[in-house]
Amino acid sequence: MSEMTRPAMARLPKFFRGVDPAVATAFACIVLLLVFGSFYSTSFLSPEYLLQQLKVASFLGVIATGMMIVILLGQIDLSVPWSVAVGGMMACAAAAFGPMGVALAIPFGILCGALIGVVNGIGVAYLRIPSMIITLATNAVAQGLMVVYTGGFSPQDSATAAMREIATGELIPSVPNAVIIWAVIGAGAVFLLTRTTFGRSVYAIGNRERAAYLSGVDTRRIVLIAFAISGALSAFGGVLLAGYASKAAQSMGDTYLLPSIAAVVLGGTSILGGRGSYLGTIAGVILITLLQSILSVMQMPEAGRQVIYGVVIVGMLLLYGRSPASR
């Protein structure tokens, strides 16, 4: 920062001086998208439409929460697509086993995703396999297992009433349950990252793993837990999506890999690890959701959307990936 800009920054309120530029940029882009979208549809700024978009954002927000924790380590989780699908499909499958299966459907689906995360964590932390390789491999294995389970056909099991309620119901009038769930998970993530030894260790490993290890951090255990959390949250996202659609689908997680990464890096989390805040991830999730909505209105094909997400990730890496860690 130059000598000329320091006095100007000092005159700003303390709140604004502490805001990450990437987070501020993300929120500014949200405002621009809202204004831009209002030109395509007069209902774009209506409370009903915005609440619906926030509900849709909740599914991505749950998945992106786990992705953020992994990226803060300087790692990546490419098993998201089939962790999502496994969570939804296994939760629906459990419901076919009577009342006990119905009661355990949601935790069983989450557990299956956590197991995928544990495999990823063991590969990265203990076997020292690059996260890009091991998570891509477990994604392929999960895909193969689900194809074998379904015989190559669409799953026939339906979501339970509880799954539909948490995804589409409203415990508080006019506030979707999915939004409340995202808020609870987000609050838990903020507490975990800012108020616990685990969170401090995640940032330390992301900045410099060897230094964290020499300072007494059990780096392998932290990495294992982080990937398990990512897998569990991806699977929970799949449970919510299955409840939203009343059934699971094999391709239900395919469209969430790049958006979840893009949402995290758009919010200023360094893809090289060690720096980022959950407020930025919230902004990134909302920004990606609004962008998806506008692209849908413009009838942008899915291939074009994936290109845009890729460009966003590369652009944010060039802008923030080489900046020094702030933690």
Side-chain angles (χ1 to χ4, degrees), residues 219-236:
T219 56
R220 293 186 296 183
R221 182 176 64 87
I222 297 298
V223 171
L224 175 62
I225 294 173
F227 274 98
I229 292 173
S230 179
L233 289 178
S234 292
F236 189 35

Side-chain angles (χ1 to χ4, degrees), residues 278-291:
Y278 195 74
L279 179 62
T281 297
I282 293 173
V285 168
I286 295 174
L287 180 55
I288 288 294
T289 302
L290 290 176
L291 181 61

Side-chain angles (χ1 to χ4, degrees), residues 55-298:
K55 179 179 179 179
V56 173
S58 300
F59 305 134
L60 176 59
V62 170
I63 298 169
T65 300
M67 181 65 77
M68 178 190 175
I69 295 174
V70 170
I71 289 179
L72 282 173
L73 291 170
Q75 307 290 349
I76 197 74
D77 186 355
L78 301 182
S79 65
V80 163
W82 279 90
S83 294
V84 171
V86 166
M89 292 170 66
M90 290 295 95
C92 292
F97 290 89
M100 182 61 70
V102 171
L104 297 177
I106 295 176
F108 180 67
I110 296 173
L111 176 63
C112 289
L115 290 177
I116 294 176
V118 167
V119 173
N120 289 334
I122 291 174
V124 174
Y126 293 90
L127 303 181
R128 311 305 295 178
I129 302 173
S131 59
M132 183 177 295
I133 302 301
I134 184 64
T135 58
L136 194 61
T138 54
N139 187 69
V141 171
Q143 178 181 8
L145 290 175
M146 290 300 98
V147 170
V148 170
Y149 168 72
T150 61
F153 299 97
S154 298
Q156 300 301 309
D157 302 309
S158 300
T160 65
M163 291 169 62
R164 290 192 292 270
E165 179 63 24
I166 64 173
T168 62
E170 294 182 358
L171 183 62
I172 301 175
S174 300
V175 180
N177 289 340
V179 176
I180 297 175
I181 289 172
W182 182 26
V184 171
I185 290 176
V190 170
F191 177 81
L192 191 66
L193 292 173
T194 62
R195 294 289 186 268
T196 67
T197 302
F198 173 82
R200 290 189 290 271
S201 299
V202 167
Y203 281 106
I205 293 171
N207 280 315
R208 192 178 292 269
E209 183 175 359
R210 182 170 178 79
Y213 174 77
L214 293 176
S215 66
V217 175
D218 189 347
T219 56
R220 293 186 296 183
R221 182 176 64 87
I222 297 298
V223 171
L224 175 62
I225 294 173
F227 274 98
I229 292 173
S230 179
L233 289 178
S234 292
F236 189 35
V239 171
L240 292 174
L241 289 169
Y244 185 71
S246 295
K247 64 181 300 184
Q250 291 180 349
S251 60
M252 62 191 301
D254 291 350
T255 58
Y256 281 90
L257 176 59
L258 277 180
S260 64
I261 299 173
V264 173
V265 299
L266 265 176
T269 298
S270 172
I271 203 165
L272 302 181
R275 179 173 60 83
S277 68
Y278 195 74
L279 179 62
T281 297
I282 293 173
V285 168
I286 295 174
L287 180 55
I288 288 294
T289 302
L290 290 176
L291 181 61
Q292 288 176 329
S293 179
I294 291 177
L295 293 178
S296 177
V297 171
M298 297 173 63

